[in-house]
Amino acid sequence: MAEIDEIVLRPRRLKGSLPWSTFLSKARKKEAVTFAWTRIGGSITPYDLEHAKEICKNPYDNSIYHLMAMGKQSAIKQTLRSECTQVLKLSAWENRNDRPHYYLDGTSSRSKFKPGKSYIVEFKCRRSPPTGGSQTCITYNAVNRAYVEARKRINVAQPKTKMWRPEDLATVGELLLDISSNLAQTYGLTLEEIEKSLPLIDTSKTLIHEVCPAYLSDVECRAGKYRRHDGLCTNLKNPTWGATLTPFQRILTPRFADGLTAPRISVTGHDLPLSRIVSRTMHPDEGYHDHAGTVMVIAWGQFMDHDYTLTGTPLDPLNRNDPEECCHRPPHLKNPYCNEIHIPEDDYFYRLFNVKCMDFVRAFPAVRPGCRLGSRIPFNLLTGVLDGNTIYGITETFGRKLRTGYGGLLRMNPVFSEYGLKDLLPLKLDIPDEGCTRPNRSMYCFEAGEIRVNEQLVLTCMHTLMAREHNRIAKSLNQINPHWDDETLFQEARRIVIAVIQHITYNEFLPILLGKDVMEKFGLLLERNGHWDGYDDSVNPAVIDAFAAAAFRFGHSLLPTAVERWSKAHKFIASKRLSDLIRRPYDLYRAGVFDEYIMGLMNQVAQAMDDSITQEVTNHLFKKAGAKFGLDLVSFNMQRGREFGIPSYMEFRKFCGLPWADTFEELFGSMPNETIRRYSSIFEHPADVDLWSGGVSERPLPGSMLGPTFACVIATQFSYSRRGDRFWYELPNQPSSFTNEQLNEIRKVKLARVICDNTDLIDSIQIYPMVLPDHEINPRVPCRSGILPGMDLTKWADYPTSNHAQYRLVEEHLLDARRQPTRPEKVRNDYNREEILRLFFESIRGISSYLGFRK
């Protein structure tokens, strides 16, 4: 497009105007052309400048060839200075006739401006170079006008407290999207300008600041030892990076059909094949097993996924589940975010039940930091770093609710205490139907830091395991540091558990998933000794949209048809269909069953990483009690990626350094031949293939469970999570840093040790539970053996450097009392003698424990 390079005010001496044919010729051959030589009464207005810019954007449109405007020089200067968000640098320009020119900066080459005389305003447009940046002048008033128009259509929520609900934040997101759309149409912005230039406008100088949430524009941070629940201040320079309720980040420009918000379409301009057609054609249930990964890979992967991502979407206000307000309602009663999944009439499964549609809603539009403008982008309800929010929640308020208030402990349900067995998670008593299918009103699911704890029983087991680990560590710390209060015990236990999660993820999970070569390439290999000084405050740890909507959903390919229970002797007991365990974790209320499911996770092989997906999630997902069909997870993956504007599989191949393919034949070798043949039967072009579908269909890399594209996207995310987290457990020289001795203890931890410490019956286990046992490379060992060492938590002993006031109190009162007896009434008035004695003997016990003495 072209831009206004120069605006010239000149006495009207020229007769006529530049012929259209001459203008076209000049516009095609030269980079610059001057036009719009005519006259009209009145003064320069913002509209005139907008009109001029429209001419520059579309120099071949004869209908706006002439701009008719003239007026006083001061009016022009005032217009430019008050209206433009960018000050244009105007170059000097003289015409061949050497007539005097008046420029917007007030200079003149010959004579002075004479008020009241007719003048001509000339606009000189320069064609922008193809790769250059835009200098389109979008005025603050133009933004304000778009804001006023949008407010007429959109009712923006104004919470009375500082807590923004997702649905409230979405109203601001809708407003910003409407303003962006208005400006894009008014100025004819290109896709590149929408993505790169529009967000540069400082909206704090416009009316938008009236509705901008404070936490996105005004955050004050101070370095501290413990991270916030909401992720704010993870980066001191950019406080919102990686925080809750902030946008996913993009590594590729989105592909919206209209450049702003409409879901992706084919590169040919036609619609993409229906999501259900892609699901049934490309991802049938063939049930292969061709690797040594256990179901524990899926369990840990989903536990990590729920630490990373939860897209903000509309929810049913009653039970906070996905709304069923699309398929069976007339248009005027549908949820405004409806983007239902249509099912073809000849579907092999759903036609049996006359199902023609599945409810699906679009994600809420995000509010960028500073309320910047741009295309639609969804937001994450969770934090972008591995911080154990699955255990501790994402708000301080909810985090408090999960705690007992004493000993640094989390609330648990001692349902098996009479049997001497460990506790389960607490009951979910408020909004009991949220994420839970209850057979009757007396049955309750579980409560944890993340609302999807009950999504499937395997995931509930992981939540239970890590909550028990927190309480185990908190109790040990309390014994070592009896002077610590509840808050200190909780925060220190939380800090250690987060470090354990990070260590297991990078030391056990990612090597199986990505392989050593990919991890080395992306800088994911952990240090064996000392600290790792790799924090980079220029790295944004926020979750990548393609990671959330596609790549980290790789585990859907690994899901088994049934989940198995095994005995402590590693013998198969029984299994249950996966669809019967989704949102129904009630088996765990049977004594001993928790351990049997954990044993099953370590002994049951996962399905192959390929394009085959079990019907338990393609036909029976979230199946209601008594129903014979459910939803289709694969269709959801496809629909979500398209409405996110996620570019195609082919574009991510190119991003990851793989060759582009213009024909399906060029994909041979990267995935099975039959897969390529099926793709060619439903897609018009290889560049139409959805990222999730193409990613799970790739042949795995050597030593990896994933193909090159998914490995690239996932490794990029985990690189951001490590390099962009100021609280990363290996870092030195931070208030949150562990000592060398403490870090060495954390490095000892394996998932097998966590399982041994937090189950009742398991007494032998393979060293790496995410891999099937093998006598040579992954043998089963006794939990009590030294092969699985635990952390020595005495490295966290804090005596006598903390709580100095307590010790001074003991010294000042008790010791002084010995040397100089005080009156009984003074003792009663000045301090509580029993409290002082308690503190004294707790201190003695602390010293004894620290020195290793026994009673």
Side-chain angles (χ1 to χ4, degrees):
M1 63 170 284
E3 62 203 38
I4 299 176
D5 187 48
E6 182 178 332
I7 305 177
V8 182
L9 183 66
R10 181 171 79 161
R12 182 177 178 274
R13 297 181 183 176
L14 185 67
K15 296 180 179 179
S17 60
L18 187 67
W20 176 242
S21 59
T22 305
F23 171 73
L24 278 180
S25 176
K26 287 187 177 184
R28 288 170 178 157
K29 294 179 181 179
K30 298 182 179 182
E31 290 188 352
V33 62
T34 303
F35 61 96
W37 296 342
T38 187
R39 66 183 176 85
I40 192 172
S43 60
I44 297 294
T45 66
Y47 173 76
D48 298 322
L49 288 177
E50 302 293 339
H51 199 170
K53 281 175 276 187
E54 289 298 327
I55 297 174
C56 282
K57 292 169 193 167
N58 191 2
Y60 304 113
D61 186 352
N62 198 13
S63 65
I64 57 171
Y65 169 49
H66 294 291
L67 173 72
M68 299 180 291
M70 69 144 291
K72 296 181 180 180
Q73 185 183 19
S74 60
I76 302 175
K77 288 196 296 182
Q78 182 181 3
T79 298
L80 181 73
R81 291 173 183 170
S82 65
E83 292 293 318
C84 290
T85 60
Q86 305 175 47
V87 177
L88 298 177
K89 295 181 180 179
L90 305 176
S91 57
W93 178 76
E94 299 282 347
N95 69 359
R96 289 179 299 175
N97 297 326
D98 198 28
R99 295 190 177 97
H101 287 60
Y102 294 84
Y103 300 89
L104 285 178
D105 59 7
T107 62
S108 170
S109 59
R110 286 291 178 88
S111 60
K112 296 181 178 179
F113 180 84
K114 296 179 181 180
K117 191 175 181 180
S118 295
Y119 283 81
I120 292 176
V121 179
E122 294 182 358
F123 292 83
K124 182 180 180 183
C125 288
R126 182 184 70 227
R127 302 301 300 278
S128 298
T131 58
S134 170
Q135 293 184 8
T136 300
C137 178
I138 297 178
T139 66
Y140 287 136
N141 274 359
V143 175
N144 288 338
R145 285 196 299 273
Y147 170 85
V148 171
E149 293 176 13
R151 285 300 300 266
K152 295 176 183 177
R153 294 186 291 272
I154 299 170
N155 183 25
V156 178
Q158 290 292 319
K160 296 180 180 179
T161 66
K162 294 181 179 180
M163 296 294 295
W164 281 79
R165 298 181 305 169
E167 52 266 39
D168 295 335
L169 193 64
T171 63
V172 182
E174 289 288 356
L175 182 79
L176 297 175
L177 187 60
D178 191 287
I179 295 170
S180 301
S181 178
N182 186 321
L183 295 175
Q185 293 177 13
T186 300
Y187 290 90
L189 300 181
T190 64
L191 176 62
E192 183 179 8
E193 288 168 327
I194 291 171
E195 292 303 317
K196 296 182 179 179
S197 299
L198 203 54
L200 297 178
I201 297 176
D202 184 1
T203 60
S204 67
K205 297 179 180 179
T206 70
L207 296 176
I208 291 173
H209 81 275
E210 297 176 349
V211 297
C212 190
Y215 80 94
L216 288 170
S217 57
D218 184 21
V219 181
E220 183 179 345
C221 298
R222 285 180 288 183
K225 188 176 184 180
Y226 308 119
R227 63 170 85 229
R228 292 176 53 139
H229 283 74
D230 58 14
L232 284 171
C233 300
T234 297
N235 186 304
L236 295 177
K237 293 182 180 178
N238 299 279
T240 61
W241 281 7
T244 62
L245 301 179
T246 56
F248 292 105
Q249 65 172 319
R250 300 190 187 276
I251 54 178
L252 285 180
T253 302
R255 291 290 178 260
F256 291 113
D258 60 356
L260 271 168
T261 183
R264 184 175 70 91
I265 59 174
S266 169
V267 294
T268 65
H270 302 145
D271 289 335
L272 291 168
L274 295 176
S275 295
R276 175 61 183 179
I277 289 180
V278 179
S279 173
R280 74 181 191 186
T281 305
M282 301 307 309
H283 305 288
D285 186 357
E286 293 171 345
Y288 296 124
H289 305 85
D290 66 351
H291 55 72
T294 66
V295 178
M296 185 63 78
V297 173
I298 305 169
W300 190 266
Q302 189 172 24
F303 190 61
M304 289 304 95
D305 180 67
H306 290 193
D307 194 306
Y308 268 126
T309 73
L310 176 58
T311 302
T313 59
L315 297 175
D316 184 317
L318 181 62
N319 56 34
R320 308 298 291 172
N321 290 323
D322 294 334
E324 298 178 356
E325 303 173 0
C326 300
C327 289
H328 304 295
R329 293 194 176 190
H332 67 285
L333 293 179
K334 288 186 178 183
N335 188 299
Y337 288 92
C338 279
N339 185 29
E340 53 265 50
I341 297 170
H342 297 288
I343 299 174
E345 293 184 358
D346 63 347
D347 191 271
Y348 76 95
F349 178 77
Y350 284 109
R351 65 181 173 83
L352 303 176
F353 311 101
N354 197 32
V355 177
K356 299 179 181 179
C357 173
M358 276 187 280
D359 287 301
F360 185 88
V361 289
R362 295 196 69 176
F364 287 138
V367 179
R368 291 174 170 84
C371 290
R372 301 282 174 147
L373 302 173
S375 65
R376 187 188 195 102
I377 186 168
F379 61 86
N380 191 3
L381 299 183
L382 306 182
T383 59
V385 290
L386 287 180
D387 60 359
N389 64 66
T390 46
I391 308 167
Y392 306 110
I394 55 171
T395 67
E396 180 73 22
T397 303
F398 186 63
R400 291 277 174 190
K401 181 185 172 186
L402 296 171
R403 296 164 56 178
T404 62
Y406 60 87
L409 300 176
L410 294 170
R411 285 192 302 113
M412 299 294 281
N413 182 5
V415 64
F416 301 129
S417 57
E418 60 181 297
Y419 304 113
L421 302 179
K422 292 181 171 61
D423 298 342
L424 296 180
L425 293 170
L427 301 180
K428 183 173 178 59
L429 300 176
D430 62 330
I431 320 182
D433 293 311
E434 181 181 27
C436 177
T437 302
R438 302 166 68 204
N440 56 65
R441 297 295 92 184
S442 64
M443 292 291 287
Y444 291 91
C445 283
F446 298 102
E447 185 165 58
E450 215 280 331
I451 62 172
R452 293 167 292 179
V453 55
N454 303 293
E455 189 165 279
Q456 56 154 311
L457 182 141
V458 166
L459 181 63
T460 313
C461 288
M462 301 309 297
H463 277 271
T464 307
L465 189 73
M466 297 312 296
R468 289 178 177 180
E469 175 70 354
H470 171 94
N471 281 358
R472 186 189 71 82
I473 292 174
K475 290 175 183 176
S476 297
L477 290 176
N478 197 5
Q479 291 179 341
I480 295 166
N481 298 299
H483 55 283
W484 279 2
D485 60 11
D486 171 66
E487 186 65 20
T488 303
L489 287 167
F490 172 78
Q491 293 293 355
E492 287 295 325
R494 174 177 176 243
R495 191 164 71 104
I496 294 170
V497 169
I498 293 171
V500 167
I501 289 172
Q502 292 177 344
H503 183 70
I504 291 173
T505 301
Y506 283 70
N507 193 53
E508 298 184 48
F509 175 68
L510 291 184
I512 297 170
L513 187 66
L514 301 175
K516 184 178 179 181
D517 291 344
V518 174
M519 291 190 68
E520 187 172 13
K521 178 180 178 181
F522 285 85
L524 302 178
L525 296 177
L526 299 176
E527 297 294 319
R528 293 178 180 271
N529 300 290
H531 289 85
W532 172 79
D533 195 8
Y535 174 62
D536 184 348
D537 62 10
S538 68
V539 173
N540 185 354
V543 175
I544 299 167
D545 60 345
F547 176 88
F552 214 55
R553 300 185 180 204
F554 74 91
H556 298 168
S557 174
L558 305 174
L559 289 171
T561 299
V563 178
E564 299 174 357
R565 288 166 34 224
W566 288 53
S567 71
K568 61 177 291 184
H570 301 277
K571 302 296 182 182
F572 173 79
I573 297 175
S575 66
K576 193 172 244 187
R577 289 182 61 181
L578 177 62
S579 59
D580 292 333
L581 297 176
I582 292 175
R583 294 184 174 178
R584 297 177 178 90
Y586 308 113
D587 270 4
L588 297 183
Y589 285 121
R590 296 159 54 200
V593 168
F594 174 85
D595 285 24
E596 293 173 356
Y597 273 115
I598 292 291
M599 289 296 293
L601 297 182
M602 299 184 294
N603 286 283
Q604 181 181 359
V605 63
Q607 284 205 39
M609 181 63 207
D610 56 18
D611 52 16
S612 172
I613 311 296
T614 175
Q615 290 189 41
E616 293 297 292
V617 295
T618 58
N619 293 335
H620 300 283
L621 182 72
F622 301 147
K623 183 174 60 177
K624 295 181 180 180
K628 296 182 179 180
F629 65 90
L631 304 175
D632 178 6
L633 182 59
V634 172
S635 292
F636 279 18
N637 291 345
M638 232 68 62
Q639 201 83 342
R640 184 65 72 204
R642 293 173 183 182
E643 72 99 358
F644 266 35
I646 302 292
S648 70
Y649 161 70
M650 195 57 59
E651 292 188 69
F652 277 94
R653 274 179 60 91
K654 184 178 179 181
F655 170 82
C656 294
L658 299 168
W660 181 274
D662 282 315
T663 64
F664 287 101
E665 288 73 20
E666 294 174 74
L667 289 174
F668 283 124
S670 61
M671 54 185 67
N673 293 354
E674 177 59 21
T675 299
I676 297 170
R677 186 197 65 77
R678 293 202 298 255
Y679 274 134
S680 65
S681 71
I682 59 174
F683 286 103
E684 294 185 70
H685 193 279
D688 290 340
V689 175
D690 299 275
L691 174 59
W692 183 86
S693 180
V696 298
S697 300
E698 283 186 327
R699 296 187 188 278
L701 291 168
S704 170
M705 293 179 70
L706 301 174
T709 305
F710 267 12
C712 162
V713 175
I714 291 173
T716 299
Q717 178 65 64
F718 279 98
S719 174
Y720 291 170
S721 295
R722 189 188 190 199
R723 293 187 295 128
D725 184 1
R726 185 170 58 86
F727 294 92
W728 180 257
Y729 82 102
E730 294 177 292
L731 290 181
N733 307 319
Q734 297 285 349
S736 59
S737 295
F738 293 103
T739 66
N740 269 318
E741 292 78 12
Q742 291 169 348
L743 193 52
N744 288 334
E745 294 305 314
I746 292 170
R747 289 192 174 113
K748 291 179 183 178
V749 178
K750 290 183 172 62
L751 178 58
R753 181 74 263 162
V754 175
I755 292 171
C756 285
D757 288 340
N758 295 285
T759 51
D760 296 295
L761 306 176
I762 296 175
D763 53 18
S764 66
I765 188 173
Q766 65 258 43
I767 297 174
Y768 296 102
M770 298 185 203
V771 181
L772 288 173
D774 181 272
H775 291 297
E776 294 183 1
I777 61 175
N778 193 29
R780 291 191 180 115
V781 297
C783 282
R784 295 183 178 181
S785 72
I787 299 175
L788 298 175
M791 281 186 292
D792 178 5
L793 291 173
T794 62
K795 297 297 189 293
W796 277 263
D798 195 35
Y799 179 84
T801 57
S802 68
N803 291 325
H804 296 289
Q806 291 181 356
Y807 301 109
R808 283 199 303 272
L809 186 65
V810 171
E811 182 184 68
E812 291 171 2
H813 288 279
L814 290 181
L815 298 184
D816 281 353
R818 278 183 179 175
R819 294 194 297 264
Q820 186 175 342
T822 57
R823 294 187 302 274
E825 63 271 17
K826 185 177 188 305
V827 172
R828 287 193 297 270
N829 294 335
D830 288 354
Y831 64 93
N832 184 323
R833 179 179 176 83
E834 292 181 356
E835 178 67 13
I836 298 302
L837 288 172
R838 185 186 66 80
L839 291 173
F840 175 79
F841 286 111
E842 281 186 357
S843 302
I844 295 299
R845 286 196 295 271
I847 295 170
S848 301
S849 175
Y850 183 71
L851 296 177
F853 295 137
R854 297 182 179 179
K855 288 186 178 180

